[in-house]
Amino acid sequence: VLTSIDARGTESIREALPPFGPGEVMSYNLKWTVIKGGEARMSVIENAETDSLWEVHSLAWSTGVVDVFYTVRDTIVSTIDRNTLLPTRFVKKQHEGKYHRDSTYVFDQAAGIIHRNGGSFACSLKVHDILSVLYQVRTYPLAVGQTYEATVYEGGKLYTAAINVLRREQVTVPAGTFDCVVAEPILQSEAIFKQKGRLWIWFTDDERRIPVLMSSEVPVGAITAELYSYRPPVHGDSTATSLR
């Protein structure tokens, strides 16, 4: 569950139909500082075993000269409950330069237990992983000046992540020009990439809240993901078929 905290410190919770679903594909160009050197893709598909689950896939890979000096091959899959948007399973395989890490978590949300590496971790809260929380954030209004919070589990740590909505801003990426809200997630662990500093995300300022631009500091410079293609959910409404 995400909590919205306004300037007076009061809390409210808003439920909304997700602006994404199976069939949605977001494709990005990746830049290390100013050099284009990779691509990333985030997609939602139906789970092959049950229609109560969706799978959120995040792939990132380096190309060209960047691939020679700093190879990236990242795969993350978060299996989420389509009704609660909470994860049931999380698999991450990271290869970024000399950094290699594979992780698998199984979330038993009803029992309040997270299984990892043959052990278990008890937690009474509803918990997200680093990928499912990005999609959960898209279900909220993202009002400027507000902070949204979520409980996140990553790397053996359970913590409260804050998402600060900073300002409105118009940005241009290969997919077009968009009116956006700029949010800064405050994390205590890695996000989708192995960042070492601050992370910013530009969401479209509409009901879809598409992340069209992401920028973070990584061990080698900074990495930016710019949206170049968007495919709406298969069952999305007609307004979702166009980015403009």
Side-chain angles (χ1 to χ4, degrees):
V1 175
L2 287 177
T3 304
S4 168
I5 306 176
D6 64 23
R8 294 166 296 179
T10 58
E11 300 184 357
S12 61
I13 296 176
R14 172 177 172 173
E15 296 181 357
L17 293 175
F20 53 84
E24 183 186 65
V25 180
M26 300 179 290
S27 300
Y28 299 85
N29 289 325
L30 298 182
K31 291 182 179 179
W32 275 263
T33 309
V34 296
I35 301 172
K36 181 181 180 300
E39 294 191 35
R41 181 180 303 119
M42 292 195 290
S43 57
V44 182
I45 67 173
E46 293 181 343
N47 181 270
E49 298 180 357
T50 173
D51 60 5
S52 66
L53 299 176
W54 290 344
E55 293 180 12
V56 180
H57 291 238
S58 173
L59 307 175
W61 61 96
S62 54
T63 60
V65 66
V66 173
D67 193 50
V68 176
F69 294 101
Y70 190 73
T71 301
V72 173
R73 298 288 186 274
D74 288 352
T75 300
I76 303 176
V77 178
S78 177
T79 303
I80 63 175
D81 184 297
R82 63 180 298 174
N83 295 313
T84 66
L85 305 183
L86 293 170
T88 62
R89 182 179 176 86
F90 174 82
V91 178
K92 176 172 64 175
K93 297 182 178 180
Q94 280 183 290
H95 174 184
E96 300 179 16
K98 295 181 180 180
Y99 179 85
H100 297 260
R101 181 183 179 186
D102 293 348
S103 304
T104 299
Y105 314 146
V106 176
F107 296 83
D108 187 338
Q109 301 281 357
I113 299 175
I114 303 168
H115 302 279
R116 175 177 181 261
N117 297 335
S120 60
F121 181 88
C123 177
S124 61
L125 302 173
K126 296 179 179 178
V127 183
H128 279 281
D129 58 56
I130 58 172
L131 184 55
S132 71
V133 72
L134 172 64
Y135 282 76
Q136 178 72 76
V137 168
R138 294 178 61 193
T139 70
Y140 280 75
L142 298 183
V144 173
Q146 288 196 342
T147 295
Y148 300 83
E149 296 182 341
T151 303
V152 176
Y153 181 81
E154 168 60 18
K157 298 178 181 178
L158 186 71
Y159 65 91
T160 299
I163 300 91
N164 298 324
V165 184
L166 306 178
R167 63 187 181 275
R168 287 186 170 86
E169 187 172 293
Q170 188 177 81
V171 297
T172 298
V173 294
T177 299
F178 306 95
D179 293 326
C180 296
V181 290
V182 185
E184 181 182 8
I186 307 299
L187 305 173
Q188 298 177 25
S189 66
E190 299 170 0
I192 297 174
F193 301 105
K194 184 179 179 291
Q195 86 272 10
K196 67 174 183 177
R198 301 175 72 180
L199 167 68
W200 296 271
I201 304 176
W202 284 255
F203 294 94
T204 55
D205 192 12
D206 58 22
E207 71 281 357
R208 298 168 296 176
R209 289 172 285 278
I210 301 166
V212 298
L213 178 64
M214 294 177 278
S215 181
S216 65
E217 298 171 341
V218 294
V220 181
I223 186 170
T224 301
E226 300 179 342
L227 187 77
Y228 73 81
S229 175
Y230 176 79
R231 189 170 71 193
V234 172
H235 301 299
D237 60 40
S238 59
T239 62
T241 60
S242 174
L243 277 172
R244 305 301 177 90

